[in-house]
Amino acid sequence: MKRLSLSLTAKIVLLVALMGMASATITVYATWHMQRIESRYHQLLAQQDAATHRVALVRQHLTDASALVHTVLTANNEDQILLSQEQLALMQQGFEANLKEIYTLLPQHGLQLDQVLTQSRHIFAVGRGVITSSLHWQADRALIVLSQSFLPALDSLLNEVDTLRTESQSFFQAASHDVEHNTQAAIQTTTWAGWLSVLLISACAAWIALRHVSQPIGRLTASMQRMSRHEYKLHIADQDRTDEIGTMARTLQSFATALQEAQQLEHELALHHHNHLLMEHLQQLTSALPGAVFQMKLMPGTPLHLRFASPQWAQLMGMPPQADTGVHHAAEVIRHHDHQATRMAEQHFAESARTLEPVDFDLSIVMLDGVTRCIKTRANPHQESDGSITFNGVWLDVTKEMLQSRALEKAKRHAEQNAAERSTLQASISHEIRTPLNAILGLTQLLLKADLPQAQREQLYNILRAGQHLRGIVNEVLDFSKIDAGQLKLESTDFSLENVVLDVLSMCHEEASKKGLSLNYKMAREVPDHLRGDPHRIAQILLNYINNAIKFTTSGHIHIALRLDASSTLHRIVLHVSVKDTGPGIPADHVPLLFEAFQQADNSITRRFGGTGLGLTISRALAQLMGGSAGVHSTLGQGSTFWFTAVLEPARSAIHPSTTPALQQQSHTPANTWHGLRILVVDDNPLNRAVAEGMLHVLGLHTEIAEDGVQALAQLQDVGPDYYACVLMDIQMPHMDGLSATQALRQLPGFAHLPVIAMTAHTAVQDVERAHAAGMNAHLSKPLLESALHHVLQEWLGNAGPTSVTPAQPHAKATPSPPVFDPSAIDALAQLFDSAKLQQLVTQFTHDSLQRARQLPVLAQQHDWQSMRAEAHKLTGTAATFGLIRLGHFSSELSTALKASDSERAIDLAQQVAQSAQDGVIELQAYCPTTSPQT
């Protein structure tokens, strides 16, 4: 069944008609009902009037009957009495007729009317009896009847009639009230019906407005808003409606479709225009490129096909500008010009198609114009859906780059050769300078031991000071050369910072005292004394700063301050050292020149004090090598403050600070301990041999000499491994140098443990490393100093006697087992952190170290060497920081064993690390009772 559809106008008209019909129906009903009520009301009024009138007539009939009966008693005429009898009958008829009318008017009072009728008949009967008695002249009897029967009955009847009248009035009054109530009820019903119809019709109107007008219009509005945002691909709702909304929806849908098509056309037009611009730009770009852009396609089983080539290909091929540059012509020319180059190129493209790796190769080709060009081919492969490979790339003429590369390679080789020659020259210069300098200083030191006059002793002291000054200049020049060549390397060893400062102060104390200067230092509480780094370079910078301060300060004091920089952490200690003097200060315009090479703040300084002007330059370079920097703050007339920073680490092992500065310590070995021991001195320079022999003789040692490595090996083989207690070996010698001689010596039976000490002018870190790698045990630099010689001999000879030389290991001396726990490390941490933070760090460290250490034996049983190296490295880095010295020692040994692939020693060390961790945590917990490590 087809649904009946109405237009929106028809719906509104129908709604208005429905409202009119409801209003008309309510009006008709109200009018009809009110007319009925009004008719009823008038009927009641008429009935009430008739009833009242009839009751009044009935009462009047009774009154007239009473008067007629009383008249009969006084009448003397019989006719008059008879007439009264007829009148009484007529009255009775009138009474009953009116009473009958009252029956009609008051049917609800029928019982009362029956009583009134009965009583009235009795009264009229009694009245007729009175009249009859009067006709018979029985007046007394008539009076008796009248007084005893008629009058009481009449009074009773009158009362009944009055009651009837009262009740009829009440009845009509009640009926009137009912009519009034019905009227009000009709009015209320009509009112409610009117409001209800209005509400119903309004609800219908609202529903129609919302459902059929507002919501559809809202959907149309939303669609139009989307269209305003250029969203034309949408479906318009309510198109299936047959009213005006449906017409609007279908119209809007058509409009959206048209706009969508227009947008698509506009997009296609813009895309076409964009592609056209891209093509133009691409053509311009490819034309501006230094090479030729190409595209090739390789189908399986078919040769390489050139699909596109920019016009530059003709220029690369050496063709004239007017030549044909079409793709097909380019393919023919390129393919057939050089068959070998074509074959090599196809091999590269085929390999790239197989691996999908980019193409990148160079070919030198003799082009059509006879010029040889190096062409670089670069292309990226892309696999298509049909299995073919598309190459997008470029041909570049890299002939100039190739020539430049060859020139640069040649220049690099030349520069490396020059650097090697310069390094050799520096080594030669160092050797040539230090050799006579060694003789000057060594022989001077020996002469000072003789009993000489005071004047000659003073002259020798001056020679010694001049030689030491010359040695300082040589060291500065060589250090600068090493820094400039990038060959200066730093050491990394554990040291006591306070010992370093005291050593430097002991060296400078005498000069400061001569000028009356106060020399003091202050180390902040938070600065740890046990550090790891290069103590010699720190001492070198500090010594340079203090010497400069003494040189330029005439009175007052020199103060050294050591503190931690704000950027310091637990494992990265940034040391800040400053040297403040009370000298003349430095002008502001001269400050930037201070750290430049060969510069002085004043040209007269060199004339007054000497020097190379390299000290501050070297100091800054050393500070930068240690991860820090250097600078100066100076105010003219108020002194200067030179400072530097260095990045250091916590020490990894316990350091026992000396009570006496190191440079003041002498290795006083008892004469009867070393007396008679034989030392072989190997040096090609007789002066150097004389200096070494003189210093050794003072110690009671016997010496023998050899002029080169060949002689030394021959002498050693002749006497056997137990003849000499030690060998002093020069590095640079003719025939066979010291390194080669030591390497050959270590291969001889029985000579693996004979101490061999390098005695050389080669002092670089790499020189020391090469000496140790060759099998030498220690390194003495020239010029030779007594203190250094005594220290090395004490280290490697110890208390050995002349008949029993204690063998020393070639690479490491035997050391006692390190202590389990060093509380000074915790004390240093306590200066950096508050108690709560320190407790947290210690607790975390103990938990982690125990867990890692206990895991090592398990990993060792599993042969998981890589995990063991990682765990051992982590333990080594943190153990010394918290004072677990033995744990750090064995962890480091374990790392060394793992690097050397010594599995047996690694398994043994894993157990020692676990035990050291347990012992160290117990002592650490005892020292820090507030911590509660999770053991």
Side-chain angles (χ1 to χ4, degrees), residues 158-172:
L158 287 175
N159 288 333
E160 288 291 335
V161 171
D162 289 338
T163 300
L164 178 63
R165 183 179 60 184
T166 302
E167 289 181 356
S168 64
Q169 290 177 352
S170 298
F171 169 74
F172 284 111

Side-chain angles (χ1 to χ4, degrees), residues 480-501:
F480 179 76
S481 300
K482 295 173 187 175
I483 293 172
D484 186 52
Q487 297 178 352
L488 184 65
K489 295 183 180 180
L490 298 177
E491 294 182 2
S492 181
T493 183
D494 296 339
F495 66 93
S496 168
L497 180 61
E498 188 171 14
N499 282 355
V500 172
V501 176

Side-chain angles (χ1 to χ4, degrees), residues 27 49 77 89 118 148 209 242 248 300 354 372 486 552 610 612 625 629 631 657 669 733 760 797 808 880 895 902 917:
T27 301
D49 290 342
N77 187 351
T118 302
Q148 292 181 354
T242 58
M248 292 172 61
R354 186 180 64 84
T372 301
F552 297 109
T612 61
L625 284 175
S629 60
T669 305
M733 295 182 295
T760 176
L797 297 184
S895 298
D902 190 349

Side-chain angles (χ1 to χ4, degrees), residues 911-929:
Q911 296 293 339
Q912 297 186 52
V913 168
Q915 186 61 44
S916 299
Q918 185 70 31
D919 297 342
V921 167
I922 292 175
E923 294 196 16
L924 175 61
Q925 185 178 4
Y927 190 75
C928 303

Side-chain angles (χ1 to χ4, degrees), residues 420-438 470-471 473-479 481-482 732 760-763 782-783:
E421 292 176 355
R422 183 174 63 177
S423 177
T424 304
L425 178 62
Q426 289 175 356
S428 300
I429 292 175
S430 173
H431 186 271
E432 295 301 325
I433 293 177
R434 289 178 182 272
T435 297
L437 188 59
N438 180 54
L470 178 59
R471 183 186 63 183
I473 294 175
V474 171
N475 289 337
E476 284 187 350
V477 173
L478 292 177
D479 281 345
S481 300
K482 295 173 187 175
Q732 187 172 342
T760 176
H762 299 280
T763 59
K782 296 177 182 178

Side-chain angles (χ1 to χ4, degrees), residues 499-517:
N499 282 355
V500 172
V501 176
L502 291 176
D503 287 345
V504 174
L505 292 181
S506 66
M507 289 186 285
C508 301
H509 179 74
E510 183 178 356
E511 290 296 326
S513 299
K514 289 180 181 180
K515 299 184 69 172
L517 300 175

